Amino acid sequence: MSTDTTITGLARLLVSENLLEREVALAAFTTADKSGTPLVRHLVKNRLIDSKVIAKTASQEFGLPQLDISAMDPSTFPLAQVDTKLLQKHNMLPILKKGHKMFLAVSDPSNQIGIDEIKFNTGSSIDLIVVEDDKLHQLIEALVKVPEEEAGKFDDLSSMGLEDLDVELVEEKAGLDEEDVANAEDETPIVRFVNKLLVDAMKMGASDIHIEPYEKIYRVRFRVDGILKEITRPPLNIVMRICSRVKIMSNMDISEKRVPQDGRIKLKLSKTKSVDFRVNTLPTLWGEKIVLRILDASSAQLGIDILGYEPSQKQLYLNALHQHQGLILVTGPTGSGKTVSLYTGLNILNTHEKNISTAEDPVEINLEGINQVAVNAKVGLDFAAALRAFLRQDPDVVMVGEIRDLETAEIAIKASQTGHLVLSTLHTNSAPETLTRLRNMGIPSYNLATSITLIIAQRLARKLCSHCKKPLRLPPRILLQEGFTEAQLPNLQVYGAVGCGRCNDGYKGRVGVYQVMPITDKIARAIMDDGSSIQIADIARAEGYNDLRISALMKVAQGFTSLAEANRITS
């Protein structure tokens, strides 16, 4: 029997099974939609179909277990986990909570909007249990006891349990049209939701927040210890409101949705602590994707001992920092901690006797006592222009955010040869490959050999949780294949990730893994002879400077990380 295309969900199923007349289903569907009443509740309440028939059909067709909810003890239900107004609105009831999983009693498994709202409200994954609608409704009324006149009278976000947070936005209205601000700020639940996202990200130690729209879902992910983790899926009908709120906080143009925008949020958590967020929007097929990078100024104050350098590597870095001239390069992929390494060095050099200037895109960490310049290509202030200006201001130390082209590289090298200490970054996989990259840019080999003093290649490895990591027994053959030596095997203990309530899948925090390569006489001669990165790597290894793989295995042997994580960052 054909069904009306305007009927969807469970009503369409009941019609196709000849359990409900199409005209009756269409009228019920329309009436329930207008009144905001769940469809099954309307059908049962008006005795259009028996609730037992609906429950049996839904259980069979959706492949879900069926339960007699009247036989359960309501005192064990985790009602505090879900806002009571949502239970009344969607006629759903949580009956059990195990870890991150919640078992939800429903009479209409096709009510995806209600399921998504409760999933968003609780932050849990949802397993459905089918129950009879009349029994479910009576139990909800008895447990919730919400007056009928209040049922259904709430906004999608007004009942999400978002507590007021002790945060204050600094200068959120700067440069905004008053009407735009008034329109976008009249949404207290959205304000609380965005505030909660930012605070939760900081509590979890996240480095980035990704807010992503798609055709059928809207999701929020945090990057924690370098790995993206889905946090929640807000309802699709609030996509524009969340986006507008973040853009207002970032001093962006909320009316412009066609081009990427950059902004910054300064969130004041208390009288003494504030956190900066770097914000970028990107127009996608289904809306604007927003990424917020959490900029923690305290990371530059941690000190070099916290970063994970081996003692010999730390000394090489300190020796290079205390030279009056030369070029120190830090390399690695995006998110490998290059900025923190450079700022740690700058913090060591930041004294009253030093004139320090930096050119960055953008300025990520504010440090008092350092002259920081944000490059702006639109007005002609690129890295090269900033670097030329620095050299006319009697600098002692110069930091260039990134060497991207020949002009910047040439100026940085000339500065390092004329009495200045220069620090910068490149995107290369290893320290020896940095020399090949600069040579390919057009820098003569003799300039590389005489100007560069130290190259640091680095990665960030997730640290094993100290509370749940477990020792592993691996055959010696496997350990040797991974790169350990015969001399290490007798006392070697390798640990693996387990996972507990105090960590993220067995890991908590990150530690740096480094290849620190000074330009020694032998390496300088190899550079002058246009030696390849492989030849230079062999010389460095022969002189006792560990590559990234050996450094990662040392962290494994020390119990800081797992062999799987070492393979992930060095493969």
Side-chain angles (χ1 to χ4, degrees):
M1 179 178 180
S2 63
T3 59
D4 195 305
T5 56
T6 61
I7 306 173
T8 61
L10 192 54
R12 188 179 182 85
L13 174 62
L14 294 171
V15 171
S16 67
E17 294 290 326
N18 296 319
L19 297 172
L20 195 63
E21 293 292 335
R22 183 174 58 183
E23 292 74 15
V24 174
L26 181 59
F29 188 85
T30 304
T31 305
D33 185 57
K34 287 182 179 179
S35 65
T37 304
L39 174 64
V40 174
R41 178 89 288 272
H42 178 83
L43 292 173
V44 174
K45 181 179 179 181
N46 292 279
R47 299 181 180 180
L48 299 174
I49 188 170
D50 188 82
S51 63
K52 292 181 180 179
V53 174
I54 296 177
K56 183 179 179 180
T57 304
S59 174
Q60 292 175 346
E61 293 296 328
F62 288 90
L64 298 171
Q66 185 179 349
L67 180 72
D68 182 3
I69 199 167
S70 62
M72 297 191 69
D73 180 6
S75 64
T76 64
F77 294 172
L79 295 179
Q81 300 286 331
V82 187
D83 191 282
T84 54
K85 293 179 181 178
L86 285 179
L87 305 182
Q88 180 98 8
K89 177 184 178 183
H90 296 297
N91 207 41
M92 298 176 177
L93 192 66
I95 58 177
L96 182 64
K97 180 80 183 294
K98 294 183 69 175
H100 293 294
K101 181 178 291 187
M102 177 173 286
F103 293 86
L104 190 67
V106 300
S107 57
D108 182 2
S110 69
N111 183 4
Q112 194 60 45
I113 293 176
I115 296 167
D116 285 344
E117 283 196 21
I118 290 179
K119 181 179 179 181
F120 173 66
N121 179 247
T122 61
S124 304
S125 61
I126 301 294
D127 275 13
L128 301 180
I129 307 291
V130 177
V131 299
E132 294 173 27
D133 182 82
D134 50 359
K135 293 180 180 180
L136 177 62
H137 179 69
Q138 290 172 9
L139 188 55
I140 291 175
E141 288 294 296
L143 293 174
V144 176
K145 296 179 182 178
V146 178
E148 282 191 23
E149 62 270 17
E150 292 183 9
K153 293 183 180 179
F154 60 93
D155 182 82
D156 286 326
L157 282 175
S158 62
S159 59
M160 288 186 173
L162 302 177
E163 67 276 13
D164 290 329
L165 299 164
D166 183 22
V167 298
E168 177 185 346
L169 188 62
V170 179
E171 297 180 350
E172 68 173 296
K173 298 179 184 178
L176 293 174
D177 180 82
E178 291 183 5
E179 184 178 350
D180 288 339
V181 173
N183 292 338
E185 286 192 344
D186 188 24
E187 302 198 6
T188 302
I190 294 290
V191 172
R192 292 206 307 269
F193 169 65
V194 174
N195 285 351
K196 188 175 189 301
L197 271 187
L198 302 184
V199 173
D200 285 352
M202 289 183 284
K203 287 180 179 178
M204 291 180 64
S207 60
D208 301 88
I209 304 170
H210 292 245
I211 305 174
E212 304 166 312
Y214 297 96
E215 182 180 11
K216 297 181 180 179
I217 64 168
Y218 189 50
R219 71 179 179 184
V220 178
R221 294 188 293 171
F222 293 169
R223 188 178 292 279
V224 181
D225 296 335
I227 305 297
L228 278 171
K229 181 179 181 180
E230 184 172 316
I231 300 301
T232 186
R233 291 190 178 188
L236 280 171
N237 61 344
I238 65 169
V239 170
M240 298 300 297
R241 295 155 65 189
I242 291 177
C243 186
S244 294
R245 174 59 188 167
V246 175
K247 289 168 79 172
I248 281 175
M249 296 172 75
S250 312
N251 290 326
M252 295 181 187
D253 182 357
I254 63 173
S255 65
E256 180 56 76
K257 301 176 176 64
R258 301 165 299 175
V259 296
Q261 295 189 64
D262 292 298
R264 199 178 183 100
I265 296 174
K266 189 176 185 67
L267 202 63
K268 189 175 182 181
L269 303 178
S270 65
K271 292 182 179 179
T272 58
K273 182 172 177 60
S274 63
V275 175
D276 288 344
F277 296 80
R278 190 180 79 201
V279 188
N280 176 264
T281 66
L282 178 69
T284 69
L285 189 60
W286 305 110
E288 289 181 279
K289 173 177 177 176
I290 301 173
V291 176
L292 300 93
R293 165 68 59 90
I294 301 174
L295 307 176
D296 186 4
S298 62
S299 60
Q301 313 287 340
L302 292 176
I304 195 169
D305 293 324
I306 305 298
L307 299 185
Y309 286 95
E310 300 298 332
S312 60
Q313 294 176 332
K314 181 183 78 170
Q315 195 56 51
L316 288 170
Y317 190 18
L318 291 174
N319 291 343
L321 287 172
H322 288 104
Q323 293 186 24
H324 293 293
Q325 68 179 50
L327 178 59
I328 300 174
L329 295 173
V330 181
T331 77
T334 301
S336 60
K338 300 188 298 295
T339 300
V340 172
S341 283
L342 284 181
Y343 269 103
T344 300
L346 290 179
N347 203 45
I348 293 171
L349 297 171
N350 188 14
T351 63
H352 294 295
E353 293 80 22
K354 301 279 188 180
N355 176 19
I356 304 175
S357 297
T358 72
E360 304 167 67
D361 182 20
V363 175
E364 293 195 2
I365 301 173
N366 297 323
L367 281 183
E368 187 174 347
I370 294 178
N371 309 290
Q372 296 173 278
V373 175
V375 301
N376 186 348
K378 292 180 180 178
V379 298
L381 181 59
D382 56 13
F383 283 121
L387 193 47
R388 280 193 296 267
F390 290 164
L391 297 180
R392 293 192 289 268
Q393 294 213 335
D394 186 30
D396 296 300
V397 180
V398 171
M399 188 190 90
V400 184
E402 183 182 349
I403 294 178
R404 297 176 178 172
D405 51 48
L406 176 59
E407 184 181 13
T408 306
E410 286 178 336
I411 299 171
I413 285 176
K414 288 177 182 177
S416 69
Q417 293 173 331
T418 55
H420 307 94
L421 181 62
V422 181
L423 295 82
S424 190
T425 70
L426 274 90
H427 289 283
T428 56
N429 290 326
S430 67
E433 289 177 44
T434 303
L435 298 165
T436 304
R437 169 78 185 279
L438 289 169
R439 190 184 293 137
N440 290 339
M441 279 187 182
I443 303 296
S445 296
Y446 61 85
N447 275 340
L448 297 177
T450 57
S451 61
I452 300 176
T453 55
L454 186 73
I455 303 176
I456 301 172
Q458 68 179 78
R459 302 288 189 276
L460 288 177
R462 291 181 293 169
K463 292 175 67 174
L464 285 167
C465 174
S466 59
H467 296 95
C468 68
K469 68 179 181 181
K470 66 175 181 181
L472 300 179
R473 293 184 178 180
L474 298 176
R477 175 179 56 82
I478 298 297
L479 295 173
L480 291 173
Q481 288 176 354
E482 292 291 346
F484 291 104
T485 63
E486 291 278 3
Q488 290 176 296
L489 294 185
N491 299 315
L492 181 63
Q493 179 60 69
V494 177
Y495 292 88
V498 178
C500 66
R502 303 185 185 185
C503 64
N504 298 302
D505 301 322
Y507 298 94
K508 185 69 174 178
R510 289 191 287 179
V511 64
V513 175
Y514 303 93
Q515 177 186 23
V516 181
M517 188 183 80
I519 305 302
T520 63
D521 290 341
K522 287 185 178 180
I523 293 176
R525 281 195 289 271
I527 296 171
M528 294 288 286
D529 293 336
D530 291 333
S532 68
S533 59
I534 296 175
Q535 292 171 322
I536 294 171
D538 290 340
I539 295 172
R541 195 178 301 111
E543 292 192 313
Y545 303 115
N546 295 335
D547 60 20
L548 282 168
R549 179 64 182 175
I550 294 176
S551 294
L553 293 178
M554 290 178 69
K555 291 291 187 290
V556 173
Q558 293 162 3
F560 285 119
T561 191
S562 65
L563 189 55
E565 183 68 3
N567 289 335
R568 183 183 72 85
I569 65 169
T570 60
S571 59

